[in-house]
Amino acid sequence: MGDQPADGSRFILMAVGTIESGRFEGTENLYCRYQLQHGPDWEVIHGLEQGITQMSTSRPNASEGAVVVWNFPIDVTLNSTNAFGWPHIIITVYGDAALGQADQIQGYGSVHLPTAPGEHTLYVRTFRPISSRWIDHVLSFFHGNRPEYKDPRLVAKSEGREVTRVQSFGVVKVKVNVTFQGLEILGYNSGPRKS
């Protein structure tokens, strides 16, 4: 897992940025976990594939409502032989429930790392699973045990999600700078550079 230069058979993707903030109405104390999901040909050669932010308290913002700020760094370098399994960032947000229970799921979300070089601002819309029976929904409110996925990577996959009932809830803002090395040598065109 050392630094390997791009040769004629591999390219390198470098992503540096922050999980900047989140907006989840009615919830004050939140923290966020992220992890990368990628295909079998991808390898992390520098940085961390997952991380967890600090607990942060939301503050009212005139333009965006109640915003929680994390400014948590992301710094990862990957290499691959092809674009299949392009990396996703999977976001999982936890916080206090309505009756004060801690570490309750507030939302899951996923977004691909950009395929064009430059600075990008990504808004990850999040959702959370809901019970299919109304009595379970009422009990989860009072007991604070919301439905959760066993594996958060499910949100980055298409299979198995069609049977899940979800509720949209919140958005996370991610800023990321993406750079490529050796992409054109393999015949890929990443488009015009975004500034």
Side-chain angles (χ1 to χ4, degrees):
M1 294 226 342
D3 290 325
Q4 301 170 358
D7 57 19
S9 65
R10 301 186 79 74
F11 65 90
I12 293 178
L13 179 153
M14 294 165 271
V16 177
T18 60
I19 299 174
E20 189 172 282
S21 61
R23 193 173 62 237
F24 292 80
E25 295 299 325
T27 308
E28 291 184 359
N29 299 318
L30 297 169
Y31 68 94
C32 175
R33 298 181 118 173
Y34 85 90
Q35 65 186 78
L36 288 176
Q37 172 77 23
H38 50 75
D41 292 335
W42 290 81
E43 176 186 15
V44 174
I45 58 174
H46 174 76
L48 300 174
E49 288 188 71
Q50 58 185 344
I52 186 168
T53 69
Q54 75 280 1
M55 179 73 80
S56 190
T57 302
S58 64
R59 296 287 179 234
N61 179 315
S63 63
E64 297 181 22
V67 175
V68 60
V69 177
W70 294 299
N71 285 328
F72 189 76
I74 298 172
D75 183 1
V76 67
T77 303
L78 302 101
N79 70 14
S80 182
T81 57
N82 64 60
F84 176 75
W86 196 267
H88 292 255
I89 299 176
I90 300 169
I91 305 283
T92 309
V93 179
Y94 294 91
D96 298 338
L99 297 177
Q101 301 93 339
D103 294 333
Q104 296 299 307
I105 189 68
Q106 299 299 319
Y108 295 97
S110 173
V111 65
H112 281 97
L113 285 175
T115 58
E119 182 178 355
H120 302 270
T121 301
L122 310 171
Y123 291 93
V124 183
R125 305 251 177 236
T126 62
F127 60 89
R128 58 186 175 196
I130 57 174
S131 300
S132 58
R133 299 182 331 168
W134 69 270
I135 190 70
D136 292 335
H137 185 70
V138 171
L139 289 173
S140 73
F141 176 79
F142 288 111
H143 292 271
N145 297 327
R146 288 194 181 115
E148 290 187 43
Y149 295 127
K150 285 184 178 181
D151 186 1
R153 293 178 295 182
L154 178 71
V155 302
K157 300 175 184 177
S158 57
E159 59 273 354
R161 284 187 43 201
E162 69 275 359
V163 296
T164 305
R165 294 183 64 194
V166 298
Q167 172 187 30
S168 296
F169 191 73
V171 64
V172 175
K173 183 178 181 181
V174 178
K175 285 193 172 182
V176 65
N177 290 298
V178 176
T179 305
F180 300 107
Q181 180 181 353
L183 199 58
E184 293 79 19
I185 294 171
L186 293 174
Y188 295 106
N189 180 1
S190 62
R193 180 173 291 272
K194 185 177 179 183
S195 56

